[in-house]
Amino acid sequence: MKKNQQKIQVALVFTGLILIISTYFYYPSIKKSEIQKDQSLKIEKEENFSDERSTTFENVEYQGYYDFDKPFTVESETAFIMSKENPDILYMLNMEANLHLSDGRIVRIVSNKGRYNKLTNDCFFEEDVKATDGETLIYADNLDLLATKNYVQIYNNVSLNHSSGYLRADKIDYNFETKNFKVSMLSEQRIK
């Protein structure tokens, strides 16, 4: 009877170890690969649609407001509408936005491509994103400027060069007005 109890205890300990290892090591790596796979599928779908552009514009400029009262402009060398069902989404190449801050500074954000929603004034910058306000320099793969927020969401290979130092992270929520940022790592790595 004691041998059976010992076998059950060993099996329970072994099962517990497997659960701990899978929870802390295996599951995060699966999640990360799924996220990367989803992003690559999204990019492939967008590139496949690029041949079916319904309307193309050259040298476009739109004006809008973020955080309800701060003006900005978004420009692009080439913009196009890919969906007749949603003509308010413009896909842009060589996208640039200039945010006018209340203290007189101008934030310049540029990227290789992105999207602009004419109804909500939301901007989504992709590929080789660079943002600067003259003091802070940010590089990333993605930057989302949501018109109703007072900060930008910067993610994927983020590096931020600020007067207080340099850091690399997976995601940063940055407020250009207050110069405050919230840093996050999606993986188990430490923030550099």
Side-chain angles (χ1 to χ4, degrees):
M1 179 118 159
K2 286 199 174 218
K3 285 190 177 189
N4 284 339
Q5 287 179 342
Q6 286 179 342
K7 287 181 183 179
I8 291 173
Q9 288 176 345
V10 168
L12 288 174
V13 168
F14 184 70
T15 304
L17 287 173
I18 289 175
L19 288 173
I20 289 171
I21 290 171
S22 63
T23 300
Y24 290 104
F25 297 105
Y26 183 67
Y27 181 72
S29 67
I30 290 175
K31 224 26 178 169
K32 186 176 180 180
S33 66
E34 286 178 7
I35 290 170
Q36 290 173 344
K37 182 179 176 183
D38 288 345
Q39 287 177 345
S40 67
L41 287 175
K42 181 180 173 186
I43 290 170
E44 284 178 20
K45 286 179 183 177
E46 287 178 2
E47 289 173 354
N48 289 340
F49 280 115
S50 64
D51 294 334
E52 302 170 11
R53 298 176 189 158
S54 60
T55 306
T56 303
F57 306 97
E58 298 290 327
N59 299 318
V60 297
E61 179 178 325
Y62 287 92
Q63 296 180 350
Y65 291 90
Y66 72 99
D67 196 19
F68 300 110
D69 63 343
K70 298 173 187 82
F72 75 92
T73 59
V74 62
E75 304 171 7
S76 175
E77 290 179 8
T78 305
F80 50 92
I81 299 171
M82 293 191 343
S83 169
K84 292 179 183 176
E85 293 83 33
N86 200 352
D88 295 316
I89 305 281
L90 284 168
Y91 291 82
M92 299 181 157
L93 301 175
N94 297 321
M95 187 173 177
E96 177 180 336
N98 292 297
L99 314 172
H100 300 273
L101 304 179
S102 57
D103 63 359
R105 290 180 298 136
I106 297 176
V107 175
R108 183 171 181 253
I109 305 170
V110 295
S111 69
N112 290 346
K113 66 180 187 175
R115 296 181 314 261
Y116 173 67
N117 187 321
K118 295 186 295 185
L119 285 180
T120 64
N121 287 325
D122 294 337
C123 298
F124 303 93
F125 298 86
E126 302 172 8
E127 285 186 13
D128 198 24
V129 179
K130 178 182 173 185
T132 185
D133 64 355
E135 299 171 15
T136 304
L137 184 58
I138 301 170
Y139 294 100
D141 291 340
N142 301 86
L143 184 146
D144 296 346
L145 170 65
L146 305 178
T148 57
K149 306 282 185 182
N150 64 352
Y151 62 90
V152 293
Q153 296 175 338
I154 310 159
Y155 51 98
N156 294 332
N157 299 316
V158 181
S159 64
L160 183 140
N161 192 354
H162 188 269
S163 60
S164 63
Y166 175 83
L167 67 89
R168 293 184 57 82
D170 290 333
K171 182 181 177 204
I172 295 177
D173 293 338
Y174 187 75
N175 185 323
F176 286 107
E177 287 283 342
T178 63
K179 300 180 187 177
N180 291 330
F181 45 88
K182 177 183 170 189
V183 181
S184 304
M185 289 297 284
L186 303 176
S187 65
E188 296 292 322
Q189 293 178 321
R190 295 184 67 137
I191 296 172
K192 297 179 183 176

